[in-house]
């Protein structure tokens, strides 16, 4: 499961590093103080009142719930976390096991693991906007083909009015949030970026490794804005991001999927680094653009992303889809 062996092969110190860091995260929370000084012992979700289940997945073991938290709209995401290899011996020795079925050579059990091995990852968005609620609602999707003109006349005006706030991004760049989670930073204002674990990764195992590189430059909204002028920035992110991940986690570039989303949810340029083989949400061909391909395309044509037609899928209730429909494009 957890690719600890790969880590060791490539960088013998990395696995120790990784477990040290995991331990550190634990101790940060063991003293009763959460990241924002909130007491981790206090259950801020005890007053949460469920309104609806937005979506759930038995396969991914997640549930997205909309409700109220202290009178405010909130979205809560519960996710059962992967089982990591280094907890196996404790799971086998310290759990209680109840037999369900035995038949010939087959048997199934219910296992109750010790509480610390039975955690769930919880993400809370509060106050959540209507757009957050929609983002997490299960929806039918439709493929849109956006020409360069469509981008100027439909998409750009829409994202200028309606996109998610990127305050959380500025908080990271200005070290007002998550500063202790930064894995690597190049502070150069033009070429620099901050690399840190994505919200989606609990950092307990490498199988679902997920980091994001956020550019210090603030005027690049998405892939659509990129031209050959940005090649040094993109190459810098690719090169230094790969090096930092090898150094910290022992994962070589050949084990990474490095890509941009189009459309992204947040219009401040960022690059996704995930472990190859991990089916991260949004890694499908209609949304993910490999950074190496982006670099090559810009080498071949400096205005590639300014001029080409881009395909992507939009959910049924996405306001942008309505705009494309109103313009007779669907
Ligand atoms: P995206 O391509 O704009 O959209 O990626 P997506 O969220 O639909 O994939 C933004 C990425 O930033 C996602 O992978 C999010 O999980 C991640 N992310 C979002 N927020 C609000 C935070 C945050 O506050 N901290 C961190 N570390 N990551 C975040």
């Amino acid at each position: 499961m957890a690719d600890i062996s790969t880590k060791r092969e490539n960088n013998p110190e990395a696995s120790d590093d990784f477990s040290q860091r995991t331990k550190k995260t634990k101790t940060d929370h063991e003293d009763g103080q959460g990241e924002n000084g909130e007491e981790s012992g206090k259950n801020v979700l005890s007053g949460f009142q469920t309104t609806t289940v937005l979506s759930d997945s038995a396969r991914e073991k997640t549930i997205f719930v909309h409700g109220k938290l202290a009178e405010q709209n909130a979205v809560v995401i519960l996710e059962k976390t992967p089982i990591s290899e280094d907890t196996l011996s404790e799971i086998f020795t310290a759990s209680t096991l109840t037999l369900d079925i035995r038949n010939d050579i087959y048997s199934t059990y219910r296992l109750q693991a010790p509480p610390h091995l039975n955690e769930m990852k919880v993400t809370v968005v509060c106050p959540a906007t209507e757009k957050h609620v929609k983002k997490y609602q299960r929806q039918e999707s439709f493929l849109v083909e956006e020409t360069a003109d469509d981008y100027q006349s439909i998409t750009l005006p829409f994202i200028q009015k309606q996109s998610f706030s990127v305050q959380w991004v500025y908080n990271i760049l200005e070290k007002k949030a998550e500063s202790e989670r930064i894995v690597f930073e190049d502070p150069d204002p033009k070429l620099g970026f901050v690399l840190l674990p994505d919200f989606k990764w609990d950092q307990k195992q490498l199988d679902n490794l997920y980091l994001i590189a956020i550019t210090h430059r603030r005027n690049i909204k998405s892939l659509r804005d990129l031209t050959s002028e940005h090649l040094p920035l993109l190459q810098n992110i690719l090169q230094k991001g790969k090096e930092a991940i090898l150094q910290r986690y022992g994962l070589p570039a050949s084990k990474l999927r490095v890509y941009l989303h189009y459309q992204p949810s947040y219009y401040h340029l960022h690059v996704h680094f995930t472990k190859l083989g991990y089916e991260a949400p949004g890694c499908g061909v209609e949304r993910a653009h490999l950074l190496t391909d982006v670099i090559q395309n810009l080498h071949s044509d400096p205005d590639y992303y300014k001029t080409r037609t881009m395909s992507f899928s939009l959910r049924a209730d996405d306001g942008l889809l309505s705009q494309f429909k109103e313009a007779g494009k669907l």
Side-chain angles (χ1 to χ4, degrees), residues 135 168 178 197-200 210 261 265-266 270 272 287:
K135 176 174 158 85
W168 68 272
E178 304 189 51
D198 191 278
F199 242 19
K200 296 193 192 93
Y210 200 144
H261 277 159
S265 295
Y266 304 96
H270 56 275
H272 303 250
R287 192 164 187 220

Side-chain angles (χ1 to χ4, degrees), residues 60-76:
E60 284 163 20
K61 302 184 179 57
T62 52
I63 187 162
F64 295 74
V65 192
H66 175 212
K68 291 266 182 213
L69 196 55
E71 307 291 308
Q72 290 187 302
N73 254 321
V75 172
V76 173

Side-chain angles (χ1 to χ4, degrees), residues 47-62:
F48 182 76
Q49 300 202 310
T50 301
T51 316
T52 46
V53 171
L54 298 169
S55 62
D56 59 358
S57 161
R59 186 169 162 267
E60 284 163 20
K61 302 184 179 57
T62 52

Side-chain angles (χ1 to χ4, degrees), residues 97-108:
L97 198 65
T98 315
L99 179 69
D100 254 347
I101 300 168
R102 176 170 293 143
N103 183 349
D104 188 36
I105 59 171
Y106 306 100
S107 38
T108 64

